[in-house]
């Protein structure tokens, strides 16, 4: 007896940003044309201090072409490698900006690092919704579930929708393995357990990653399956135990430089994509704490 997988009720469209290696997604329900946008990017030019919306505008053009109604703008975590385009997307297409409830922990850490203004409260109120682990929500008629997957940061979430899981930075493509776990509040042991939570999903589950940093031998990719990850992921395939992973991840993280955009991005991303409040001259400024983060320690690798 053979079984046939139920047809998908949603469509997922990916958008790859080659500068930051980020993959953003639009997922929408066929019956209602309601949509969610996941991890939109705002470009930032370090040399000039200018931002631009080209990447997010590509998503918005797709939304308009498909006549979609955006209900959700989902962040998998507060990214350290790009500024969030969530506020720009919301200003153009509506939707509620949401992230996991443990963003409060991340906000408290970076409030101290940047010595943010007194009225910045690390309570998550900058976001429209904070997901609890296992919380269900809907994208049109399609049911979705938010899953807490800490380790890369304390607040990472994955989103399970219609036979697919959007894993953020918890897993990479099988030939790249896993994300680093040395950011504030990161933990390699938690990361291993979070990855195994995802790898316990049905083997046919589609896995959509948030980043790809392809070697010269292949083009960027962002889609695999639980079965493929379990068979081939170089860091967490079947047979690699927790202690082995923790030793590898800890040693590798000790060789990695900090991400190029961590200092500008985090003070925007903990605000759900808002810029810092402008000074009395009407200009918003980003703060750079001096002599605080670790200096270059080795390979400037992203994972």
């Amino acid at each position: 007896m053979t079984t046939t997988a139920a047809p998908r009720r949603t469509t997922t469209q990916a958008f790859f940003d080659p500068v930051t290696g980020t993959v953003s997604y639009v997922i929408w329900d066929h019956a209602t044309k309601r949509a969610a946008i996941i991890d939109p990017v705002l470009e930032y030019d370090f040399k000039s201090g200018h931002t631009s919306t080209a990447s997010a505008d590509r998503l918005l053009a797709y939304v308009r072409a498909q006549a979609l109604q955006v209900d959700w703008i989902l962040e998998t975590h507060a990214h350290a490698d790009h500024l969030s385009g969530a506020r720009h997307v919301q200003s153009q297409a509506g939707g509620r900006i949401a992230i996991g409830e443990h963003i409060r922990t991340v906000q408290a850490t970076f409030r101290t690092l940047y010595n943010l203004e007194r009225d910045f409260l690390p309570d998550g109120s900058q976001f429209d919704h904070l997901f609890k682990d296992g919380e269900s929500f809907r994208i049109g008629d399609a049911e979705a579930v938010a899953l807490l997957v800490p380790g890369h940061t304390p607040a990472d979430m994955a989103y399970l929708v219609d036979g697919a899981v959007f894993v953020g930075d918890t897993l990479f493509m099988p030939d790249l393995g896993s994300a680093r776990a040395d950011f504030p509040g990161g933990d390699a042991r938690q990361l291993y357990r979070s990855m195994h939570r995802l790898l316990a999903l049905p083997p046919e589950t589609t896995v959509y990653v948030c980043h790809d940093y392809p070697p010269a031998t292949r083009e960027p990719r962002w889609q695999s399956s639980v079965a493929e990850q379990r068979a081939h992921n170089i860091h967490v395939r079947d047979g690699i135990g927790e202690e082995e992973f923790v030793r590898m991840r800890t040693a590798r993280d000790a060789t990695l430089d900090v991400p190029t955009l961590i200092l500008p991005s985090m003070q925007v991303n903990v605000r759900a994509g808002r810029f810092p409040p402008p000074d009395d001259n009407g200009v918003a400024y980003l703060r750079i704490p001096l002599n605080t983060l670790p200096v270059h320690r080795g390979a400037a690798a992203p994972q």
Side-chain angles (χ1 to χ4, degrees), residues 99-107 130-131 148 154-157:
I99 199 167
E101 64 177 339
H102 293 285
I103 188 62
R104 301 182 185 106
T105 301
V106 178
Q107 288 177 320
L130 300 180
F131 285 116
L148 177 64
D156 279 58
M157 301 297 288

Side-chain angles (χ1 to χ4, degrees), residues 6-85:
R8 292 283 173 89
R9 67 187 311 154
T10 60
T11 289
T12 296
Q13 180 64 49
F15 297 84
F16 181 69
D17 174 47
V19 176
T20 64
T22 304
V23 191
S24 306
Y25 298 95
V26 178
I27 179 170
W28 56 280
D29 171 47
H30 303 155
T32 63
K33 306 205 87 172
R34 316 294 287 198
I37 292 175
I38 303 176
D39 290 331
V41 171
L42 183 73
E43 287 93 350
Y44 174 70
D45 180 66
F46 227 132
K47 291 180 291 185
S48 68
H50 278 264
T51 61
S52 73
T53 61
S55 180
D57 287 341
R58 291 169 56 210
L59 279 70
L60 291 166
Y62 177 82
V63 165
R64 288 191 291 268
Q66 299 296 330
L68 305 178
Q69 174 62 53
V70 175
D71 288 339
W72 294 100
I73 304 163
L74 304 174
E75 298 281 15
T76 54
H77 62 295
H79 303 270
D81 42 31
H82 68 266
L83 277 66
S84 170

Side-chain angles (χ1 to χ4, degrees), residues 174-186:
D175 59 339
L176 295 183
S178 62
R180 62 196 298 168
D182 62 334
F183 291 154

Side-chain angles (χ1 to χ4, degrees), residues 203-218:
E204 67 274 13
T205 304
T206 302
V207 174
Y208 289 108
V209 301
C210 181
H211 290 284
D212 192 41
Y213 309 102
T217 53
R218 69 165 173 83

Side-chain angles (χ1 to χ4, degrees), residues 75-296:
E75 298 281 15
T76 54
H77 62 295
H79 303 270
D81 42 31
H82 68 266
L83 277 66
S84 170
R87 288 292 166 188
H88 175 67
V89 169
Q90 186 180 58
S91 72
Q92 300 296 309
R96 303 170 71 193
I97 301 174
I99 199 167
E101 64 177 339
H102 293 285
I103 188 62
R104 301 182 185 106
T105 301
V106 178
Q107 288 177 320
T109 297
F110 283 93
R111 181 192 191 192
T112 300
L113 176 67
Y114 295 113
N115 195 26
L116 295 180
E117 63 277 6
R118 290 183 178 180
D119 58 359
F120 177 86
L121 300 179
D123 59 3
S125 60
Q126 300 79 2
F127 295 82
D128 300 312
H129 186 79
L130 300 180
F131 285 116
K132 297 182 181 299
D133 183 27
E135 182 177 345
S136 296
F137 61 105
R138 305 195 77 81
I139 303 170
D141 290 342
E143 185 175 1
V145 180
L147 302 174
L148 177 64
V149 284
H152 176 60
T153 79
D156 279 58
M157 301 297 288
Y159 299 105
L160 182 62
V161 190
D162 192 28
V165 63
F166 299 84
V167 299
D169 284 9
T170 303
L171 280 168
F172 287 156
M173 293 302 293
D175 59 339
L176 295 183
S178 62
R180 62 196 298 168
D182 62 334
F183 291 154
D187 184 279
R189 199 169 298 278
Q190 278 192 328
L191 180 61
Y192 180 88
R193 295 172 183 177
S194 292
M195 290 189 293
H196 273 267
R197 183 181 192 186
L198 297 173
L199 297 177
L201 293 169
E204 67 274 13
T205 304
T206 302
V207 174
Y208 289 108
V209 301
C210 181
H211 290 284
D212 192 41
Y213 309 102
T217 53
R218 69 165 173 83
E219 294 297 312
R221 295 193 295 126
W222 41 81
Q223 179 178 341
S224 62
S225 68
V226 165
E228 184 181 357
Q229 293 281 355
R230 291 185 62 169
H232 302 296
N233 188 289
I234 60 171
H235 292 169
V236 74
R237 65 181 178 271
D238 287 355
I240 295 178
E242 182 173 319
E243 297 304 324
E244 179 183 356
F245 173 81
V246 170
R247 285 193 300 271
M248 178 281 302
R249 187 70 265 172
T250 303
R252 180 167 177 76
D253 288 348
T255 72
L256 301 181
D257 201 2
V258 297
T260 301
L261 293 181
I262 186 172
L263 288 175
S265 67
M266 288 303 298
Q267 58 195 296
V268 171
N269 295 348
V270 296
R271 305 175 197 268
R274 288 189 180 93
F275 295 151
D279 282 7
D280 55 11
N281 63 356
V283 177
Y285 292 86
L286 295 173
R287 298 168 67 85
I288 302 297
L290 299 178
N291 302 318
T292 302
L293 295 184
V295 296
H296 180 78

